[in-house]
Amino acid sequence: NFANEKLQQFFLTQVFKEEEVLHVKEGVPWKEVEYQDNTPCIELMEKPPNGIFRLLDSQCKAPKASEEALCEQVNETHKKGGFLAPTRLKRMRDGEGFIVRHYAGDVVYETSTVIGKATKVSEVSLLEKNNDTLQEDWLEQLAGSEVPLLKSLFSPGWEAALKAKKSASFSSVGKRFVNDLNSLLDELKASKAHFVRCIKPNSKQVKKEFEPAMVLDQLRCSGVVEAVRVMTEAYPTRIPYEVIHGRYAPLMGKEVLDATGDEPAAFCEAIAIACDVAPGDFALGLTKLFLKVGCGVFLEDLASMDTAVVVPLLVAKIAESKRKKGAEKVIGNAVYGWFLRKRYKEKRAAAALAQHRMRTLKARREYQKWSKERQERLKREAAERTKKEAEEKAMREAEAEARRKAEAEASANKKKADEKAVAAAVAKAKAEAEARVAAEMAEAEARVAAEMAENEARNAAKQKLDRKRSDSNVFGSQPMVEATLASPRGRAGSTTRRPSFFDAASNANLTEALTEAQKEKEAEKVAGGGIDGTMSLEKASSNHAVKKEEYFDVLIIRDVGKGTLGIAVDLWDGEVTVGAITTGGPADREGTLVQGDVIKGVDGCPCNTIEEVTGMVQKAPKDIRLSICRRPVSVVLESMIRMRMPSGEWEPFAFRLLSNRNIEFEKLSPPVYAGEIHARLAQSLKLVEERGGDKVLEIVTGHKHFQIKCETMLELETWQLRLQEVIMLQEKVANVAHGWLLKEEPAQSGSGTQFKHYWFVLFSNGILMYFADMQRAVLGQALGFIPVENCVEETRNASMHTISIKCSFKTWLLATKSKESMLQWAASLKVAAPSDASAKPAIDAVLAQGWCDLPRDTPEGEVWARHWFVLKSSALQIYPEEQKKAAAKGPLGEPSASLQSTAMKTATRAQGADFYKWGIVVETTDGTLLRMRATGQSEMRHLLSTLNVNCIPTEVAAPGTREAVATLTEQLKAGYLYKRAETRKAKPWGQRWFVLEVMTDAGPEEGTVVRTGQLTYFNNSKDAAIKKSPTVIHLKDATKVQTALGKTHKTEHRVLLSTPDRESGLMELGHGDKEVADDWAKLLLFWIGPPKVAQGSIGGEAKVVRSAWMEVKWEAHRAAELTDDDLARSETISKSSPSFARSFFRKKKEEAEPATKPSRASVEASPPPLGADGTEGAEDAGADEEQTFAWAYVALLSEPGSGGGLTLRQYTDEAMTTEVGRLQLGYRVQAAVLDDSIEDYETAFRVVPDGKASDTWLLCPGSDAASADWIATIMPSA
């Protein structure tokens, strides 16, 4: 299986990676192809130090190894990797095996115990299978066998064992197989590879039967589908220019060469066009001609055809191509001229239409202005006319009253005169006709009385008849009036069609015709109605693609007369715009409006502000008509940014802010996907600074924190400004203060600063914005903003008063010439308070929904079942297929499973066979894995992007906290030193392995680091490699370092270290080489005392030249050993302890001699072995020890601070945070392969640095080629 993985990687490298590299190198277009890279699976199996093969070798070398321990170690080490499946999927324990996700499918590797129980047959364990060690006696006998076959098989191994310094006690089958496989791949890479894919047609192993699903899975997993896509979309046929140009160009005529020039690319292009190769089927590289599949057959045949046949044919084809080019030019000019004429006519028509629209708009505005002025003039004239009429009426009434009084007085005077005349006449004739008059008077009175009685009777009858007629008319006409009022024809605005914004001229006086009582009644009727602020993401974009500006009317019927329209409006670019639509509201049910529509009028009345729209909505009846303008969605802002993913990595994205206030994004790195972020969901913005000085914009919503950063600070500030404008539209903030101020800006000349006038507006949420002028402020087109956190006012002179405004990421200096203005602005700035973003409700919108497959355990094994998922901002809800079908279009009810967004940790594409089945793996915070399969590639990408961008929370540091950074440990020096014992009972001097390390941690302030020294010693270098029994001395507590001279051989040069935590207060170290002792003293003197605080960042400035995992053996430099004569001359050792002196060191020449058995008395007189600190319990460090190879991450670094010198360093991990060894190479460093190879380490080489007392390293990469590369890198660089 590992061999198949390596061959699959070789196939992917040849077909995809190298093709991409070649296309990019030659400058030929390349379309990204998505495929599963199995490099992580190969690293899982072979990468040191924790690959499965490496762990297997380690277990084989361990004293109490077992398969169960190996499986547990593999599962524990790689449990977070994507290519090792959890054992619970197969109902196993971690000690029973492990599951590897190979590219062709998951494979279960079980222990021999599990296999034996299942098969009832004894199985050999993995550890025994991997151990191919043959005892030395057997190897010798087999190598000396008389059978030629056996002798040829084992003689090379026996000879290698004799040459090696020490034969390895363990021979790994896995390691040998990996090395052989790598050698095979090196040979394959050096050849031209052709691939044959074998596809298994069915699982029944019968002929002439195909299982489509099985075949398709194999084609997908093996990369054949992607390879076919590369063959069709790329240019697999390549012909070097020299093959065609170098052979045929000298034979062509002068006319052909003049047409193509001396450029090989131009000549080959002319040949390709002459051979009828379509322009889209070939591409010109830097050195080769690239052709599509099957398009270069004729050109490939040219290389083998006779020049006598080819040259005339090419000349004819080039001549024909030249004629075609001339014809194409004539036709092209004609078509281009036609196109230009057509475009000119279209532009002229568009200009005429635009002029017509502008004239119409101008005329409409002039008419509206004239109509308004006319109405005001008519009102004034009516008032004057009413006043004049009232005055005239009063004058007429006064004159009439005067005439009436005069007439009454004249009538009274005339009446009096008549009465006097009548009295005189009566008196005069009284005497004459008293009798006659008396008779006549009696007769007259009788007649008058009769007539009066008759008249009264007639009048009474007439009055009675008149009253009856009057009552009949009053009660008979009222029902007619009521019927008239109830008739639909008697209502105002009862027509079925309401006038729109474009019929506004005929209804200009409609509002003025209402009486105050009617207005109050209508206001009460719509009280509580209006525009709702509840948002919906369902109408964020229109399904109808708008290619040009459209105007139309929308009739919305509210639920009740006092109800709302179900929309939220705001002012965007100076126009009243639909910001959001409430789900299930009147506007949502009508279904026409979308986010971004511009409201031009309400019920035929033009509206330019939110107040006008709100007023008209309140006055309108239950059904209301809106005049809408819909424009094509345009890109307001576009940038290439990097966004922080839930995993903590920064991924490249293309971000576009659209005119409908949505953010489109497209991920540029694999896996590629696209999606949308609704900017209206943003609640607040924060500009924070990362360690290293990078500025990051943090977008806070109700469910997620987005973090983005741009290439330049200007780009990031532009995004912050535009998004802040969107947030300001939702907050409905009030204008606290506004006015002209001077703002300090960099001078245009590039040196110094200057003050420039801007219009400033301070809002109630503590945001201060500035605009180019007042009109831009009305339109909301700000140039910049700052959240006011602190302000300080200052008077520089009588004509310059300044205000300094600060926030966490910028500072503004504003100025004014008036002190009163400065004080007013300062007071307003201190009063304005930022808005509370947490008070805004979070919208739990549906982001995605659809079908997916989820695994289910059955007695037969794992089965994938169909489910319906609903992904919201707050949770992922899962419903069984039966529940979804039963619900139909109704509510789904309670989900069978729900995963909260806060519980999600990562969402990645599945590995192994699930990669091509559109699998997704969601990891939760408690380590649980949710596996899903989408129905297709586009659905998988959409779901993956929605999970990563909109749902899974990104870890954000709390305000005021600093990002945690791992401590970096560097090893400055290591080697053997003699240490004086601290007790008299112990040996006076003992050799110990000392290591000087420096720990680098984050400093108290940004951009600073703290370095602390630490001295550690061990019994020997072997203990140091495994950190066994260390003794640590913190140099920050040390007070003094001195050098001195001694008389003891090999310790003449002393280093005295004063430490308060030791009983004697002094540690005495010694070495026979003055240069080594001085070097140790110099380093210790620098690092004692308080920790060093310096500017910089963790990681230093060292540049990594080369790095890789390999096995390393450290051969430490050791001083010559002390003899008995040396110890006898020492003044520090008692003369009565000769046996004690002899037990300290022995000469090398005595090692070869058989050791004499000491007497019992001498054994009893000798003290027990001493520990590292001089106490009993450990053997002396001078005892011989055999160093072994150990895995380490080796890096070759170039350090600018050391004059460009090179160092080799060993680390415990690829992050290079913990250093375990360092080798300063110097200018005379030597690196070469071993003269006598070591078994199982045949590729090792030795590095000998420049220095008398330096250690040497044996490095063993994975192949001979890698060793040669390392040697070539070290030697020339040195």
Side-chain angles (χ1 to χ4, degrees):
N1 290 337
F2 176 67
N4 288 334
E5 290 286 353
K6 295 286 283 190
L7 293 175
Q8 174 70 7
Q9 185 188 42
F10 176 69
F11 168 77
L12 297 176
T13 303
Q14 294 289 321
V15 176
F16 298 112
K17 293 182 180 179
E18 293 190 0
E19 287 291 319
E20 180 180 1
V21 171
L22 179 61
H23 278 68
V24 174
K25 180 181 179 181
E26 292 282 340
V28 178
W30 170 264
K31 187 175 181 181
E32 197 71 36
V33 178
E34 187 177 15
Y35 62 92
Q36 180 181 210
D37 188 2
N38 67 336
T39 301
C41 184
I42 295 175
E43 292 179 350
L44 165 70
M45 303 185 74
E46 72 163 346
K47 184 178 179 180
N50 295 321
I52 294 178
F53 286 119
R54 311 301 182 185
L55 296 177
L56 177 60
D57 292 344
S58 300
Q59 283 292 329
C60 291
K61 296 176 183 179
K64 295 182 180 180
S66 65
E67 285 183 300
E68 290 74 13
L70 170 66
C71 295
E72 291 176 355
Q73 188 177 9
V74 169
N75 286 304
E76 178 64 26
T77 304
H78 301 285
K79 62 181 179 181
K80 293 185 178 180
F83 284 85
L84 191 73
T87 54
R88 61 177 178 273
L89 297 179
K90 300 297 182 181
R91 297 181 179 180
M92 298 166 50
R93 292 191 297 271
D94 287 350
E96 295 178 346
F98 51 89
I99 306 172
V100 178
R101 294 191 183 277
H102 291 288
Y103 75 93
D106 295 351
V107 178
V108 181
Y109 298 93
E110 298 174 324
T111 62
S112 58
T113 304
V114 176
I115 297 175
K117 290 181 180 179
T119 60
K120 307 299 183 182
V121 178
S122 178
E123 178 72 14
V124 180
S125 69
L126 291 173
L127 304 183
E128 295 182 14
K129 290 180 179 180
N130 188 50
N131 191 352
D132 194 30
T133 303
L134 192 62
Q135 293 183 7
E136 188 175 347
D137 296 341
W138 279 97
L139 186 60
E140 181 181 3
Q141 294 296 328
L142 291 171
S145 173
E146 297 179 356
V147 180
L149 177 61
L150 292 178
K151 187 173 183 179
S152 63
L153 289 175
F154 295 98
S155 293
W158 172 244
E159 293 175 359
L162 292 177
K163 291 181 181 179
K165 292 185 177 180
K166 180 178 180 180
S167 298
S169 60
F170 168 72
S171 178
S172 170
V173 175
K175 183 176 182 179
R176 191 182 312 119
F177 181 81
V178 171
N179 293 336
D180 294 343
L181 186 58
N182 290 332
S183 301
L184 172 63
L185 289 173
D186 290 339
E187 295 180 6
L188 291 177
K189 291 176 183 178
S191 62
K192 185 177 180 180
H194 298 271
F195 300 93
V196 177
R197 282 290 181 185
C198 300
I199 303 299
K200 187 177 181 180
N202 58 73
S203 57
K204 302 177 183 177
Q205 299 183 1
V206 296
K207 63 181 181 179
K208 296 183 180 181
E209 182 175 339
F210 279 82
E211 296 180 4
M214 181 178 180
V215 174
L216 181 60
D217 287 344
Q218 293 179 78
L219 293 175
R220 283 176 173 171
C221 295
S222 61
V224 175
V225 176
E226 285 71 23
V228 173
R229 186 177 292 113
V230 169
M231 295 291 290
T232 56
E233 296 180 355
Y235 300 89
T237 303
R238 298 88 187 240
I239 303 177
Y241 291 146
E242 295 301 325
V243 173
I244 299 176
H245 179 266
R247 183 174 185 182
Y248 298 106
L251 303 177
M252 293 294 172
K254 185 176 182 299
E255 182 181 357
V256 176
L257 293 179
D258 292 341
T260 60
D262 196 27
E263 290 291 331
F267 181 81
C268 293
E269 182 182 12
I271 296 295
I273 295 175
C275 295
D276 297 328
V277 180
D281 291 338
F282 74 91
L284 298 176
L286 297 178
T287 61
K288 299 178 182 179
L289 176 66
F290 287 72
L291 297 154
K292 292 278 189 180
V293 178
C295 298
V297 177
F298 179 76
L299 295 176
E300 290 178 337
D301 294 340
L302 289 179
S304 60
M305 294 175 64
D306 187 7
T307 56
V309 178
V310 174
V311 172
L313 183 62
L314 289 180
V315 172
K317 283 183 172 292
I318 291 175
E320 183 182 357
S321 175
K322 190 174 181 180
R323 290 193 298 271
K324 287 183 178 180
K325 279 187 177 180
E328 288 176 358
K329 187 174 182 180
V330 174
I331 297 174
N333 290 337
V335 173
Y336 186 61
W338 169 82
F339 171 73
L340 291 179
R341 287 192 299 273
K342 179 183 176 183
R343 189 171 64 176
Y344 168 74
K345 291 179 180 179
E346 291 176 350
K347 287 185 176 180
R348 188 171 66 178
L353 179 60
Q355 291 175 356
H356 169 69
R357 292 267 180 97
M358 292 300 296
R359 286 194 295 268
T360 302
L361 181 61
K362 183 178 179 181
R364 184 181 294 117
R365 290 179 178 176
E366 291 178 353
Y367 169 75
Q368 292 173 356
K369 182 179 179 181
W370 171 83
S371 177
K372 186 175 181 181
E373 293 176 351
R374 177 175 173 273
Q375 292 174 8
E376 293 177 355
R377 178 170 53 80
L378 291 178
K379 287 181 180 180
R380 290 196 303 270
E381 292 176 355
E384 293 176 357
R385 187 168 55 250
T386 302
K387 182 179 179 181
K388 186 176 181 180
E389 290 176 355
E391 292 176 352
E392 292 176 354
K393 182 179 179 182
M395 187 179 296
R396 287 194 302 269
E397 290 178 353
E399 292 176 354
E401 182 66 23
R403 284 195 304 270
R404 186 179 61 76
K405 289 181 179 181
E407 290 176 358
E409 186 177 356
S411 177
N413 293 336
K414 185 179 179 181
K415 185 177 181 181
K416 289 180 180 179
D418 290 342
E419 287 178 357
K420 290 180 180 179
V422 171
V426 172
K428 183 178 179 181
K430 184 177 183 181
E432 299 176 356
E434 185 175 4
R436 184 178 56 80
V437 174
E440 290 178 1
M441 288 295 295
E443 184 181 356
E445 287 177 0
R447 190 172 57 254
V448 170
E451 290 177 359
M452 290 179 63
E454 183 180 356
N455 288 335
E456 289 178 358
R458 188 169 55 251
N459 291 334
K462 184 178 180 180
Q463 291 177 1
K464 183 176 181 181
L465 181 60
D466 290 342
R467 285 196 300 270
K468 290 181 179 181
R469 290 179 178 176
S470 176
D471 295 339
S472 175
N473 289 338
V474 171
F475 291 98
S477 62
Q478 182 67 23
M480 296 175 64
V481 175
E482 293 177 354
T484 302
L485 294 176
S487 174
R489 299 181 182 273
R491 283 192 300 168
S494 61
T495 58
T496 57
R497 177 182 178 275
R498 293 187 182 274
S500 69
F501 166 74
F502 310 104
D503 301 327
S506 61
N507 297 276
N509 298 325
L510 181 61
T511 306
E512 295 181 0
L514 296 174
T515 63
E516 294 298 328
Q518 289 175 329
K519 292 181 180 179
E520 294 177 1
K521 184 176 180 180
E522 292 296 331
E524 294 174 358
K525 186 176 181 180
V526 298
I531 300 174
D532 190 5
T534 308
M535 293 171 53
S536 170
L537 304 184
E538 300 295 332
K539 295 291 182 178
S541 60
S542 173
N543 295 327
H544 171 60
V546 181
K547 297 183 179 179
K548 61 181 181 179
E549 196 173 83
E550 297 179 354
Y551 292 89
F552 54 89
D553 288 355
V554 176
L555 180 63
I556 300 177
I557 302 176
R558 291 184 278 192
D559 298 331
V560 293
K562 298 181 180 181
T564 67
L565 296 181
I567 62 175
V569 297
D570 45 43
L571 198 66
W572 181 259
D573 283 342
E575 295 180 312
V576 182
T577 310
V578 177
I581 302 174
T582 305
T583 304
D588 184 45
R589 291 196 303 269
E590 195 278 335
T592 304
L593 287 180
V594 296
Q595 182 176 317
D597 286 345
V598 180
I599 301 176
K600 289 291 187 179
V602 179
D603 276 346
C605 296
C607 300
N608 297 321
T609 64
I610 295 178
E611 291 75 14
E612 293 178 357
V613 173
T614 306
M616 292 304 301
V617 169
Q618 291 177 349
K619 295 177 182 179
K622 180 179 179 181
D623 50 341
I624 183 171
R625 187 178 297 272
L626 303 179
S627 299
I628 302 299
C629 172
R630 179 174 296 170
R631 299 188 179 95
V633 177
S634 59
V635 178
V636 178
L637 181 62
E638 184 174 9
S639 297
M640 305 292 290
I641 66 100
R642 303 186 77 85
M643 183 165 64
R644 189 172 186 177
M645 305 306 292
S647 61
E649 299 293 332
W650 291 92
E651 298 287 353
F653 281 82
F655 261 48
R656 290 178 288 273
L657 177 62
L658 306 180
S659 55
N660 61 359
R661 278 153 291 173
N662 290 338
I663 299 176
E664 281 187 353
F665 65 85
E666 181 180 357
K667 192 168 181 287
L668 303 179
S669 61
V672 178
Y673 50 74
E676 199 171 51
I677 300 174
H678 301 281
R680 285 187 62 96
L681 297 179
Q683 295 183 347
S684 65
L685 301 175
K686 298 178 182 178
L687 194 63
V688 297
E689 183 175 354
E690 278 193 324
R691 180 176 295 276
D694 292 340
K695 294 292 192 303
V696 176
L697 180 60
E698 194 174 290
I699 308 172
V700 182
T701 66
H703 297 280
K704 179 81 184 258
H705 286 228
F706 300 93
Q707 288 185 328
I708 63 174
K709 60 182 178 181
C710 303
E711 295 295 332
T712 62
M713 187 61 190
L714 178 61
E715 215 173 10
L716 190 65
E717 289 179 347
T718 304
W719 273 97
Q720 184 188 17
L721 176 60
R722 296 294 167 237
L723 294 176
Q724 183 64 37
E725 290 175 352
V726 176
I727 295 176
M728 297 280 285
L729 293 176
Q730 304 173 68
E731 291 185 350
K732 311 298 182 185
V733 294
N735 185 335
V736 176
H738 56 268
W740 290 98
L741 287 173
L742 292 167
K743 181 177 180 292
E744 186 183 38
E745 292 183 345
Q748 296 181 353
S749 61
S751 60
T753 60
Q754 64 179 6
F755 282 92
K756 191 174 180 180
H757 261 103
Y758 291 106
W759 180 263
F760 283 80
V761 179
L762 176 64
F763 296 95
S764 57
N765 62 348
I767 299 295
L768 179 65
M769 288 187 171
Y770 72 97
F771 307 83
D773 49 42
M774 288 184 288
Q775 184 63 26
R776 298 291 181 181
V778 174
L779 297 177
Q781 299 173 353
L783 298 177
F785 82 98
I786 183 173
V788 180
E789 297 178 1
N790 184 26
C791 66
V792 178
E793 61 272 14
E794 180 185 1
T795 301
R796 297 189 176 182
N797 51 55
S799 60
M800 179 65 71
H801 307 276
T802 61
I803 303 174
S804 177
I805 303 173
K806 296 182 180 180
C807 71
S808 58
F809 53 87
K810 67 172 62 174
T811 300
W812 282 3
L813 183 63
L814 310 179
T816 179
K817 296 181 180 180
S818 172
K819 185 175 182 180
E820 291 75 10
S821 176
M822 181 264 292
L823 294 175
Q824 291 176 0
W825 272 102
S828 301
L829 289 169
K830 292 178 180 178
V831 170
S835 61
D836 187 7
S838 61
K840 301 177 185 178
I843 299 172
D844 192 13
V846 176
L847 303 175
Q849 56 184 345
W851 292 104
C852 70
D853 294 336
L854 273 76
R856 183 174 58 191
D857 291 336
T858 62
E860 292 78 16
E862 187 179 70
V863 177
W864 290 83
R866 198 181 186 201
H867 289 75
W868 178 265
F869 75 90
V870 177
L871 179 60
K872 297 183 178 181
S873 302
S874 61
L876 173 63
Q877 299 175 346
I878 304 296
Y879 301 88
E881 183 180 9
E882 299 77 12
Q883 184 176 352
K884 170 61 179 175
K885 292 182 178 180
K889 296 183 179 181
L892 289 171
E894 292 296 326
S896 60
S898 180
L899 178 62
Q900 297 296 319
S901 298
T902 54
M904 301 179 188
K905 185 177 181 181
T906 59
T908 56
R909 189 167 178 181
Q911 303 297 338
D914 284 348
F915 180 87
Y916 292 105
K917 296 180 180 179
W918 324 127
I920 296 176
V921 179
V922 180
E923 182 183 2
T924 62
T925 53
D926 59 357
T928 306
L929 299 180
L930 172 63
R931 299 162 60 209
M932 305 171 61
R933 286 180 182 174
T935 55
Q937 186 178 26
S938 59
E939 291 80 1
M940 179 272 298
R941 289 181 174 178
H942 176 63
L943 180 57
L944 188 63
S945 66
T946 307
L947 284 168
N948 277 308
V949 177
N950 294 295
C951 295
I952 300 179
T954 304
E955 294 184 4
V956 180
T961 61
R962 300 178 57 191
E963 183 181 0
V965 180
T967 301
L968 178 64
T969 303
E970 300 177 79
Q971 182 174 308
L972 298 184
K973 192 174 181 63
Y976 279 109
L977 290 174
Y978 286 96
K979 173 182 171 294
R980 180 185 284 276
E982 299 179 10
T983 60
R984 294 184 177 181
K985 295 181 180 180
K987 296 179 181 180
W989 289 94
Q991 196 176 29
R992 301 290 181 261
W993 180 264
F994 281 83
V995 178
L996 176 60
E997 296 174 319
V998 175
M999 276 69 69
T1000 306
D1001 203 349
E1005 300 178 358
E1006 292 290 342
T1008 62
V1009 292
V1010 177
R1011 292 187 172 94
T1012 307
Q1014 176 178 294
L1015 183 65
T1016 309
Y1017 65 88
F1018 304 84
N1019 283 338
N1020 48 55
S1021 58
K1022 187 174 182 180
D1023 289 350
I1026 60 176
K1027 303 294 182 183
K1028 179 181 178 182
S1029 304
T1031 302
V1032 179
I1033 299 140
H1034 299 286
L1035 296 182
K1036 64 180 181 179
D1037 301 327
T1039 58
K1040 186 168 57 175
V1041 174
Q1042 292 178 314
T1043 58
L1045 294 176
K1047 296 182 179 181
T1048 305
H1049 186 57
K1050 300 302 180 182
T1051 64
E1052 295 92 342
H1053 304 282
R1054 309 285 175 85
V1055 179
L1056 308 179
L1057 179 64
S1058 300
T1059 55
D1061 56 346
R1062 311 188 71 81
E1063 295 180 3
S1064 61
L1066 188 68
M1067 174 183 285
E1068 188 173 355
L1069 309 176
H1071 199 277
D1073 192 334
K1074 182 178 184 303
E1075 182 181 350
V1076 175
D1078 290 345
D1079 191 19
W1080 275 99
K1082 182 179 178 181
L1083 290 173
L1084 292 173
L1085 182 62
F1086 179 80
W1087 288 107
I1088 64 171
K1092 309 298 187 292
V1093 180
Q1095 297 291 330
S1097 59
I1098 293 181
E1101 300 179 354
K1103 180 182 178 182
V1104 179
V1105 179
R1106 190 181 183 93
S1107 62
W1109 282 99
M1110 63 181 68
E1111 291 179 279
V1112 182
K1113 182 178 179 181
W1114 192 335
E1115 293 183 347
H1117 169 76
R1118 299 181 62 175
E1121 298 172 348
L1122 299 181
T1123 63
D1124 291 343
D1125 297 336
D1126 295 332
L1127 293 175
R1129 289 194 300 268
S1130 174
E1131 297 179 358
T1132 59
I1133 301 179
S1134 173
K1135 296 181 180 179
S1136 61
S1137 56
S1139 61
F1140 171 73
R1142 290 189 181 92
S1143 66
F1144 191 69
F1145 279 109
R1146 290 181 300 172
K1147 294 182 180 180
K1148 290 184 178 180
K1149 62 181 181 180
E1150 295 176 355
E1151 295 177 1
E1153 300 176 359
T1156 58
K1157 184 176 180 180
S1159 63
R1160 181 175 182 181
S1162 63
V1163 172
E1164 293 178 351
S1166 302
L1170 304 180
D1173 55 355
T1175 59
E1176 300 179 2
E1179 295 183 359
D1180 191 277
D1184 292 336
E1185 57 183 56
E1186 181 64 34
Q1187 296 291 331
T1188 59
F1189 281 89
W1191 282 103
Y1193 189 73
V1194 179
L1196 178 64
L1197 292 93
S1198 173
E1199 302 185 42
S1202 60
L1206 293 174
T1207 59
L1208 273 175
R1209 303 188 188 183
Q1210 298 181 35
Y1211 297 93
T1212 58
D1213 53 5
E1214 295 183 14
M1216 299 193 298
T1217 55
T1218 304
E1219 183 180 342
V1220 296
R1222 177 181 298 195
L1223 194 65
Q1224 190 73 33
L1225 299 183
Y1227 292 99
R1228 292 182 292 179
V1229 63
Q1230 297 295 321
V1233 296
L1234 301 179
D1235 296 333
D1236 297 329
S1237 62
I1238 304 176
E1239 187 177 356
D1240 286 340
Y1241 300 98
E1242 292 82 1
T1243 60
F1245 65 95
R1246 177 180 280 105
V1247 178
V1248 182
D1250 180 13
K1252 297 180 179 179
S1254 300
D1255 304 328
T1256 60
W1257 284 6
L1258 298 183
L1259 306 179
C1260 183
S1263 63
D1264 293 332
S1267 297
D1269 292 342
W1270 272 91
I1271 294 173
T1273 305
I1274 293 173
M1275 294 296 290
S1277 300

